[in-house]
Amino acid sequence: MTERVKVVTLGCEKNLVDSEIMSGLIDARGYHLVDQADDATVIIVNTCGFIDAAKEESVNTILDMAEFKQTGRLKALIVSGCLTQRYKKQLMEEMPEIDGIVGTGDFHHITDIVDEALRGKRPVKVGNPAFDYDQKLPRLVTTPRYTAFVKIAEGCDNACTFCSIPIMRGKFRSRSMESIVAEVQQLADQGVREVSLIAQDSTNYGTDLYDKFMLPELLNRVSEVEGISWVRLHYAYPGFFTDELIETIATNSKVCNYIDMPLQHSEDSILKRMRRPGRQRDTRELVSRIRASIPDVALRTSIIVGFPGETDEDFNRLCDFVREMKFDRLGVFTYSPEEDTPAVRLPDAVPDEVKEWRSNTLMEIQREVSKELSGKHIGKEIDVLVERYDGRSDVYVGRSPYDAPEIDGEVFISNCKAAIGEIQRVRITHAYEFDMSGEGL
């Protein structure tokens, strides 16, 4: 009987790409991929180990999947991803439910791991995380057919004191421009219209391969691929955000006026403890330059509250900063102490209940900012990528260039003439806190 394999993905979009490659390899081996875990004879859980909440979700998911050995058809439970890269010994010793593990630098060996596990062994393949994939590896895209994520680099060299990514993903490694463009061409040939470029540090792209910042050229090269309409940039490290990059986003019509740039904090003392680039003055100057060159840009950022040493005064100034900067999108994370990172040794830890209160307070401030900004597109004509039809309301639903897949707002369209996966010109008539509605043109 052909084995039936279910891949369960946790964590970020970079993990999703790894899962899609594993799915491609499994399919090429002749195994049958299934959608339902209770129908699978093999389950692969691709884990996240970034913060405590992600680790807990990963462990709970592993245990949930293991139950299908009693209630379903499951023969082998394989665990991959960041959690295995950090905790391979603990996982194999403390979770007998696991039949094999594979690390972040070895997932291209997934079919060998599956084969060995099905033969009754408990294979462990966790080595150096420095593997880099290219477009030659098979990949089964699991996002809607018109959009896909493209990993342009792996790992990180920035050594932020709170971050465990270098431990799990290794040093920063750019993919070659030729490999990225070739993959985008393959995706376009399959009907993809929107590509989101992802990396732990996208603005540093090219410095290791070409000895200079090459993200502007990469954006231009990707946008030249026939069939691609939108190119979206994620995880732009602020320390490497050059004027050339700003100009490229401003002048290239296919590059979305959307910048995902995690800042993590506003206060100089906290940024220094975090080992983040520059200081608040640099952030303000950068944001001013971006907005001056790209007036309709949508800026997304993320903030960490409760970092060791963050005082009430620091937090109050952070709140003032968020009110003043008026980011279009903002996510808030409570600091999670990660073993083997420098931040765990810092004094003046913030109590958990204070972290939670600060997180909720900052999100309430951002909600007020979002309400204030919600009407800025009313009366304008914008392009919308149509994603689905809502039969109950008799409207089509899509996303604007200012909204990334899964995490941002939607646009509800009446009188829509485009099909799913196509781009419709829309006049915005109403705006809500996160969503908009309009009429197709």
Side-chain angles (χ1 to χ4, degrees):
M1 182 187 79
T2 300
E3 302 298 343
R4 304 168 71 83
V5 183
K6 167 66 177 176
V7 180
V8 179
T9 305
L10 306 173
C12 67
E13 295 86 358
K14 296 180 285 295
N15 246 22
L16 175 63
V17 172
D18 293 349
S19 288
E20 291 176 344
I21 293 169
M22 286 193 286
S23 296
L25 291 166
I26 289 164
D27 182 68
R29 177 62 67 93
Y31 292 146
H32 181 61
L33 289 160
V34 296
D35 294 327
Q36 302 301 321
D38 60 358
D39 192 33
T41 56
V42 178
I43 295 177
I44 300 166
V45 181
N46 193 8
T47 61
C48 177
F50 185 48
I51 59 177
D52 284 343
K55 295 176 194 174
E56 183 177 354
E57 181 187 21
S58 293
V59 170
N60 289 338
T61 302
I62 293 167
L63 294 174
D64 288 343
M65 295 301 104
E67 292 183 3
F68 289 110
K69 289 184 177 180
Q70 280 72 47
T71 63
R73 306 177 179 181
L74 186 62
K75 301 176 185 176
L77 176 60
I78 312 298
V79 181
S80 65
C82 292
L83 200 69
T84 63
Q85 192 67 37
R86 290 192 74 182
Y87 302 109
K88 64 177 181 180
K89 183 178 179 181
Q90 295 94 318
L91 287 170
M92 293 303 283
E93 290 179 352
E94 298 175 14
M95 300 189 74
E97 299 89 349
I98 297 174
D99 300 298
I101 63 175
V102 58
T104 58
D106 299 284
F107 66 85
H108 55 300
H109 295 299
I110 186 62
T111 53
D112 295 332
I113 297 296
V114 170
D115 290 345
E116 289 185 35
L118 288 170
R119 290 198 295 268
K121 300 180 180 179
R122 287 188 88 205
V124 175
K125 188 76 172 177
V126 182
N128 190 306
F131 169 74
D132 303 309
Y133 83 92
D134 60 29
Q135 82 286 354
K136 296 177 183 177
L137 284 174
R139 176 183 175 188
L140 291 181
V141 177
T142 56
T143 49
R145 59 179 172 78
Y146 47 80
T147 186
F149 295 98
V150 175
K151 196 187 296 188
I152 65 173
E154 186 59 278
C156 187
D157 289 344
N158 293 316
C160 299
T161 59
F162 57 83
C163 185
S164 57
I165 291 296
I167 299 171
M168 298 181 290
R169 293 284 179 171
K171 292 184 175 294
F172 181 81
R173 298 151 349 251
S174 301
R175 288 177 63 189
S176 73
M177 195 170 299
E178 292 75 18
S179 173
I180 296 168
V181 173
E183 182 177 22
V184 172
Q185 183 63 68
Q186 291 174 357
L187 293 169
D189 292 343
Q190 297 169 21
V192 169
R193 302 290 303 276
E194 173 192 41
V195 290
S196 296
L197 305 185
I198 57 174
Q200 194 61 36
D201 173 7
S202 60
T203 41
N204 200 25
Y205 174 77
T207 55
D208 55 328
L209 285 182
Y210 308 107
D211 294 321
K212 61 179 180 177
F213 297 113
M214 292 291 283
L215 184 57
E217 182 173 339
L218 177 65
L219 289 171
N220 287 329
R221 289 276 302 276
V222 168
S223 68
E224 291 170 358
V225 174
E226 186 175 353
I228 297 299
S229 301
W230 288 358
V231 181
R232 191 178 297 278
L233 178 63
H234 287 267
Y235 314 123
Y237 193 72
F240 307 135
F241 214 104
T242 64
D243 289 340
E244 182 185 6
L245 178 56
I246 295 174
E247 182 181 1
T248 299
I249 298 172
T251 58
N252 189 321
S253 61
K254 286 191 178 182
V255 178
C256 296
N257 290 348
Y258 176 98
I259 298 171
D260 181 0
M261 184 170 61
L263 296 175
Q264 311 304 8
H265 213 278
S266 65
E267 297 309 293
D268 291 356
S269 61
I270 304 299
L271 292 170
K272 184 177 180 180
R273 282 189 163 207
M274 288 180 170
R275 207 180 291 159
R276 295 289 292 177
R279 294 298 175 258
Q280 183 180 145
R281 180 182 64 185
D282 304 304
T283 297
R284 289 178 178 274
E285 291 176 352
L286 174 58
V287 171
S288 294
R289 293 202 310 274
I290 291 173
R291 285 175 167 161
S293 298
I294 318 169
D296 64 336
V297 69
L299 284 176
R300 164 174 279 281
T301 194
S302 60
I303 298 292
I304 295 174
V305 296
F307 192 77
E310 183 188 60
T311 64
D312 290 341
E313 185 178 1
D314 291 328
F315 178 70
N316 289 335
R317 287 199 293 259
L318 172 62
C319 292
D320 292 339
F321 175 80
V322 169
R323 290 188 187 98
E324 182 181 348
M325 298 304 289
K326 299 186 188 307
F327 296 105
D328 298 85
R329 317 276 188 261
L330 184 142
V332 181
F333 299 88
T334 57
Y335 168 70
S336 174
E338 295 300 310
E339 59 184 305
D340 301 323
T341 61
V344 299
R345 299 188 294 272
L346 292 175
D348 304 318
V350 177
D352 288 343
E353 61 270 19
V354 176
K355 294 179 191 176
E356 291 298 327
W357 181 86
R358 289 177 180 175
S359 174
N360 294 334
T361 300
L362 198 59
M363 282 309 301
E364 285 301 320
I365 291 171
Q366 179 59 30
R367 286 190 181 93
E368 292 302 314
V369 171
S370 296
K371 288 179 181 178
E372 180 182 341
L373 297 177
S374 63
K376 69 179 184 179
H377 293 298
I378 292 179
K380 295 181 180 179
E381 294 181 8
I382 64 173
D383 288 333
V384 174
L385 179 61
V386 180
E387 296 195 288
R388 57 188 171 87
Y389 174 68
D390 184 341
R392 289 187 301 176
S393 303
D394 190 27
V395 295
Y396 284 83
V397 184
R399 284 183 293 107
S400 77
Y402 314 108
D403 299 292
E406 301 294 331
I407 58 175
D408 292 327
E410 295 180 316
V411 181
F412 301 90
I413 318 164
S414 59
N415 190 33
C416 181
K417 300 177 182 177
I420 304 299
E422 294 184 358
I423 292 175
Q424 166 80 58
R425 193 70 174 171
V426 171
R427 180 181 291 110
I428 301 300
T429 57
H430 297 84
Y432 315 100
E433 186 173 338
F434 299 107
D435 300 328
M436 297 183 290
S437 62
E439 297 181 351
L441 301 176

